[in-house]
Amino acid sequence: MKILLLEDDFTLSKEIATFFTSKKFECFPFYDGTLLLKKYFPYEYDLIILDINVPGINGIEVCKGIREIDKKTPIIMLTAFSEIEDKLVSFDNGADDYLVKPFHFEELYARITSLLRRKEIPQQIEKKIVIHDLEILEDDMKVFRSGEEIKLTPKEFKLILILAHAKGKVLSKLFIADKLWDYHIETNQNTIEVYINFLRKKIDKDHETKLIRTKVGYGYYLSHQE
C-alpha cells in the first residue's frame, strides 16, 4: 500500500512514516503543498493524508486540486483546528475523513484501514438513477433536474446517492451520518441538517415538485410524493 503524506512538521512526518513502515505500508512524505501538486500523479497512491496548514498551497486547496483529476483515492485531512467550518470546507473539497491533532497513530491507522476496505468492496450500483425528473449518473458524478445539470460538492453528491439508494425509505440522521462519514463525530447529525438544506436549495428551490422530504421525528427521504 502506498500512502501520500503532506505534513510540514518534520518530526511528526518522520514519526508517521516510521509508523506506516511498521505496518508494511510505503509512505511518501511532502512538506510543501505546491511541490506535492507538481509531483502528484493520479491513481499512484492508495490513500492520501493532507495537513491543512502547510507552506505553499494549503491542504484544502491541494485536496481540491487532486479531486479535479482523481475522484476516488481516499483523502484524510489533518489539522490542529476542530471547528465545524473547517470540517465542512474539507468535506466540500473532497475529503473523506478528518482527524484533529494531536491524535494517536492507531486511530489514524484504524481510519485508514476502514477507508481502504470501503474502497476495495465491489460496488453493485445502478449506472443511472431516475426519480421523477431527477437523474443521477453515478459513474460520472453528475446530477440533472429537468435536463439541467446541478453542480454538487462531493459530500452533497454522496448524500443524494444515500437518499436515492434508499428508494423512498425514510433515513434517520444517525443512519445518514454513519454512511456519509466512516467515523461518528459530535457534529455529524447537526451537519446532516446543513447538507440537507444545501441540497434543497440546489435540487428543489426552483421546482414546484419537491423531492427531498422530511418525516418529522424520523428523518429524510427522496420522493416526488409525500
Side-chain angles (χ1 to χ4, degrees):
M1 290 288 183
K2 295 182 179 180
I3 295 179
L4 175 65
L5 172 65
L6 176 63
E7 171 58 65
D8 67 328
D9 184 321
F10 180 80
T11 300
L12 179 58
S13 177
K14 186 176 180 179
E15 290 175 349
I16 292 174
T18 300
F19 176 79
F20 285 144
T21 300
S22 72
K23 298 293 186 180
K24 310 301 181 184
F25 288 0
E26 291 184 84
C27 184
F28 300 85
F30 285 84
Y31 307 98
D32 182 286
T34 304
L35 179 60
L36 182 148
L37 279 181
K38 288 182 178 179
K39 297 290 185 179
Y40 180 78
F41 296 95
Y43 314 117
E44 182 179 352
Y45 304 97
D46 298 290
L47 186 133
I48 301 165
I49 302 172
L50 304 174
D51 186 17
I52 292 181
N53 292 308
V54 295
I57 300 174
N58 67 44
I60 290 176
E61 290 300 317
V62 170
C63 181
K64 182 178 179 180
I66 290 174
R67 283 292 179 245
E68 290 177 354
I69 56 175
D70 177 1
K71 299 184 183 301
K72 296 183 178 180
T73 302
I75 297 177
I76 296 178
M77 305 301 294
L78 300 180
T79 180
F81 302 108
S82 60
E83 287 80 4
I84 182 61
E85 290 80 7
D86 295 306
K87 297 176 183 179
L88 288 175
V89 171
S90 296
F91 292 136
D92 282 348
N93 283 282
D96 296 284
D97 205 349
Y98 187 105
L99 192 57
V100 178
K101 298 177 182 178
F103 55 84
H104 294 288
F105 289 168
E106 289 296 343
E107 180 183 5
L108 175 60
Y109 179 68
R111 298 197 181 200
I112 286 172
T113 53
S114 177
L115 285 173
L116 291 175
R117 281 197 304 269
R118 188 181 68 183
K119 178 183 176 183
E120 293 169 357
I121 296 174
Q123 299 294 317
Q124 302 298 323
I125 58 176
E126 299 176 67
K127 297 297 181 181
K128 181 178 180 180
I129 302 173
V130 179
I131 301 171
H132 191 53
D133 59 349
L134 179 73
E135 295 183 5
I136 303 172
L137 305 182
E138 193 158 358
D139 288 347
D140 296 330
M141 298 184 69
K142 293 183 178 180
V143 175
F144 297 85
R145 183 89 195 257
S146 298
E148 181 178 350
E149 184 174 0
I150 300 171
K151 298 294 185 180
L152 300 180
T153 67
K155 281 298 176 185
E156 289 169 353
F157 184 80
K158 187 173 181 180
L159 176 54
I160 198 70
L161 279 183
I162 292 170
L163 294 171
H165 286 165
K167 298 181 178 180
K169 179 181 177 181
V170 178
L171 303 179
S172 69
K173 286 192 289 185
L174 180 59
F175 178 88
I176 295 172
D178 287 341
K179 291 293 184 180
L180 202 56
W181 288 277
D182 284 327
Y183 284 78
H184 178 73
I185 56 177
E186 292 180 1
T187 56
N188 264 359
Q189 293 192 54
N190 292 333
T191 304
I192 295 306
E193 296 180 10
V194 174
Y195 276 97
I196 288 292
N197 288 332
F198 287 163
L199 274 184
R200 280 183 168 143
K201 289 178 180 178
K202 294 182 178 182
I203 300 292
D204 286 338
K205 182 179 179 181
D206 297 326
H207 297 270
E208 182 178 352
T209 300
K210 309 305 179 185
L211 300 180
I212 301 170
R213 301 183 179 275
T214 302
K215 187 172 183 180
V216 179
Y218 291 89
Y220 305 101
Y221 62 106
L222 191 63
S223 175
H224 67 286
Q225 298 177 333
E226 294 186 10

